[in-house]
Amino acid sequence: MGKLTVKDVDLAGRKVLLRCDFNVPQDANLNIADDSRIRASLPTINYILSKKPKKLILMSHLGRPDGKVVSKYSLKPVAERLKELLGREVRMSVDCIGEDVQREINESRETVLLLENLRFHPEEEQNEPNFSKALAGLGDIYVNDAFGTAHRAHASTEGITHYLSSAAGLLLEKEIAYLSKVLEKPQKPFMVILGGAKVSDKLGVIENLLPKADEIIIGGGMCYTFLYAQGKRIGNSKLEKDRIATAKEILEKAKKQKVKILLPIDNVITDKIEVDAKVKTVGENIPDGWLGADIGPKTIRAYCATLKKAKTIVWNGPLGIFEIDAFASGTKKVAEFISRLKATTIIGGGDTASAIIKFGLEDKMTHISTGGGACLEFLEGKVLPGIAALTDSSITNA
Ligand code: AMP
């Protein structure tokens, strides 16, 4: 990937600053509801510790405290979980910059420290140079393993790289390796599954993948703008009026480029998005007063028949409102089907990853990205600032 990685740099006896993505979901009692992001960073943490650093200083954001100290967004529960997962002490710092933090780093007996939420300071998201410099001053070398925030130029992802040699962690390297292989030389047939709420969020991905994909399979709320563009009746389903023209253009472009775009041929519809709502299955047209909440059984069969031929599958966005069981079938059945294929299966982060975890299929996919927005931007072909800022691998003496 042309960037320095943690394996290229000397870590022994040094203070290593590692940016992780510990932005985990928590319940009302602040218990960690899903620790997959913490677990995903363990290989890098354990690798660094095996090289006997002087200190390993972990940093992350959690939630959206908007530049203020908000106790419910403290990283303390993460430190506790890390202790259990690593089987060693993790010191929770009072803050992420300042004299007290410096003192803790210099005087604490623990090797591993977790800095308090970076976003308690507005300067983090502002990418403010003095704040970046203060963070950099805590260590001798910087490693970024936070793919989930690599699409943001923040002080701890971009600014800090101006002051320290900066390497990719193992998770970041793995994410880049899988996603760039898909963009550069996917094994064919290459199929893309797109869903989720908003068509506007996925247009960039369609544009970028259209010349590379063999077939694009569409479901979720986003499919109704396409069905509307084809002249179908969509009732009260999700429609982004300002994207109808673009949807039409994409369908025409796909035809010219001989890329098949598959849209639902039947739909599970409802009168309201609630657990006790009326539910029925209809064909391509949805009557007024009803909205499409999931792809129907014929569509599931058709999509699986197509996916059977795939050697590479990239999936971003659930095919229905999977959070409600009555509308989860499309996402679940397609997930189960592709989990049994020999193909390379890459799952975009965010809600798609949550759905795969909900169905217990996380170990059956080739790669589940830890980044929602970052994964989308990567698939759109954009340069992610957190990756671009890392030290080029041609530069030695790290
Ligand atoms: P996204 O973050 O764009 O991938 O969207 C994920 C969300 O899309 C999930 O919360 C789903 O419940 C929602 N979604 C999936 N299918 C539909 C649909 N047919 N109508 C409305 N929302 C949907």
Side-chain angles (χ1 to χ4, degrees):
M1 65 173 179
K3 295 292 179 187
L4 215 58
T5 81
V6 68
K7 292 209 164 144
D8 302 322
V9 294
D10 199 3
L11 302 166
R14 302 177 85 185
K15 287 186 280 184
V16 183
L17 269 166
L18 175 63
R19 174 58 158 106
C20 297
D21 179 5
F22 292 148
N23 186 27
V24 290
Q26 286 171 285
D27 65 19
N29 299 320
L30 303 184
N31 296 313
I32 296 172
D34 173 9
D35 66 0
S36 4
R37 284 186 165 161
I38 305 178
R39 288 175 188 274
S41 64
L42 293 179
T44 304
I45 293 177
N46 283 322
Y47 175 81
I48 294 173
L49 289 173
S50 76
K51 297 293 167 189
K52 307 267 178 282
K54 185 170 183 191
K55 294 283 166 184
L56 171 55
I57 306 152
L58 307 170
M59 52 183 171
S60 176
H61 73 284
L62 176 65
R64 293 175 189 272
D66 291 331
K68 292 185 289 287
V69 177
V70 182
S71 60
K72 70 173 178 176
Y73 294 124
S74 167
L75 280 163
K76 280 180 197 144
V78 172
E80 290 305 314
R81 181 61 56 92
L82 261 174
K83 264 187 219 173
E84 289 162 27
L85 293 170
L86 292 172
R88 64 188 296 158
E89 283 303 310
V90 174
R91 186 183 178 102
M92 184 65 216
S93 279
V94 286
D95 199 347
C96 60
I97 54 161
E99 279 175 25
D100 289 344
V101 177
Q102 273 291 6
R103 199 171 316 113
E104 275 184 310
I105 293 171
N106 293 336
E107 294 173 10
S108 67
R109 51 183 181 81
E110 298 91 346
T111 307
V112 185
L113 291 94
L114 173 59
L115 303 184
E116 187 51 284
N117 196 338
L118 294 158
R119 291 194 189 167
F120 283 176
H121 295 258
E123 296 88 348
E124 159 66 358
E125 289 180 84
Q126 291 160 358
N127 198 5
E128 202 276 320
N130 287 325
F131 183 77
S132 306
K133 209 170 172 178
L135 284 176
L138 302 175
D140 303 318
I141 183 150
Y142 168 73
V143 180
N144 188 355
D145 216 21
F147 181 70
T149 40
H151 59 315
R152 305 273 179 240
H154 291 167
S156 67
T157 60
E158 198 275 339
I160 192 168
T161 67
H162 297 274
Y163 306 100
L164 287 175
S165 270
S166 306
L170 303 178
L171 173 64
L172 194 75
E173 197 186 359
K174 188 168 121 189
E175 294 269 13
I176 297 169
Y178 277 118
L179 296 172
S180 18
K181 192 165 173 219
V182 159
L183 294 185
E184 284 155 23
K185 39 176 184 330
Q187 250 200 311
K188 300 276 209 159
F190 172 31
M191 316 261 181
V192 179
I193 310 174
L194 293 175
K198 285 163 74 185
V199 71
S200 45
D201 288 349
K202 305 282 153 69
L203 290 173
V205 178
I206 303 182
E207 297 269 5
N208 194 41
L209 295 185
L210 204 55
K212 307 171 203 283
D214 294 290
E215 308 203 27
I216 299 180
I217 287 172
I218 299 183
M222 66 173 284
C223 74
Y224 298 102
T225 302
F226 280 98
L227 290 172
Y228 187 90
Q230 283 186 329
K232 307 267 159 50
R233 288 171 53 208
I234 63 162
N236 300 352
S237 307
K238 253 191 186 308
L239 173 68
E240 282 178 73
K241 285 199 179 125
D242 53 342
R243 304 300 158 129
I244 299 167
T246 318
K248 266 189 195 150
E249 274 165 34
I250 287 174
L251 292 170
E252 275 157 27
K253 220 191 231 178
K255 211 175 193 178
K256 273 197 204 123
Q257 297 182 12
K258 298 200 167 32
V259 178
K260 270 199 202 152
I261 293 195
L262 275 70
L263 289 161
I265 48 174
D266 62 348
N267 298 277
V268 175
I269 60 169
T270 181
D271 57 337
K272 54 181 182 200
I273 306 175
E274 276 170 34
V275 183
D276 63 345
K278 284 190 223 151
V279 178
K280 62 180 179 178
T281 302
V282 294
E284 283 176 314
N285 290 299
I286 298 175
D288 289 343
W290 293 77
L291 61 98
D294 195 10
I295 56 172
K298 282 189 198 151
T299 308
I300 296 174
R301 280 198 293 279
Y303 285 3
C304 291
T306 295
L307 289 164
K308 199 174 171 183
K309 298 173 277 176
K311 288 260 164 47
T312 307
I313 299 170
V314 170
W315 184 354
N316 203 305
L319 298 176
I321 306 172
F322 74 97
E323 297 92 339
I324 299 176
D325 286 349
F327 315 126
S329 250
T331 309
K332 186 165 187 240
K333 293 210 165 123
V334 169
E336 284 169 348
F337 185 81
I338 68 164
S339 77
R340 295 192 293 267
L341 295 177
K342 285 220 172 75
T344 300
T345 46
I346 312 283
I347 309 296
D351 281 310
T352 328
S354 310
I356 299 296
I357 292 165
K358 179 178 170 180
F359 306 140
L361 297 170
E362 62 271 35
D363 296 331
K364 301 210 165 77
M365 303 295 173
T366 312
H367 179 64
I368 301 187
S369 177
T370 51
C375 179
L376 261 186
E377 290 199 19
F378 201 104
L379 293 173
E380 283 172 24
K382 287 188 183 156
V383 174
L384 307 193
I387 297 173
L390 298 175
T391 309
D392 290 332
S393 52
S394 53
I395 300 170
T396 46
N397 307 328

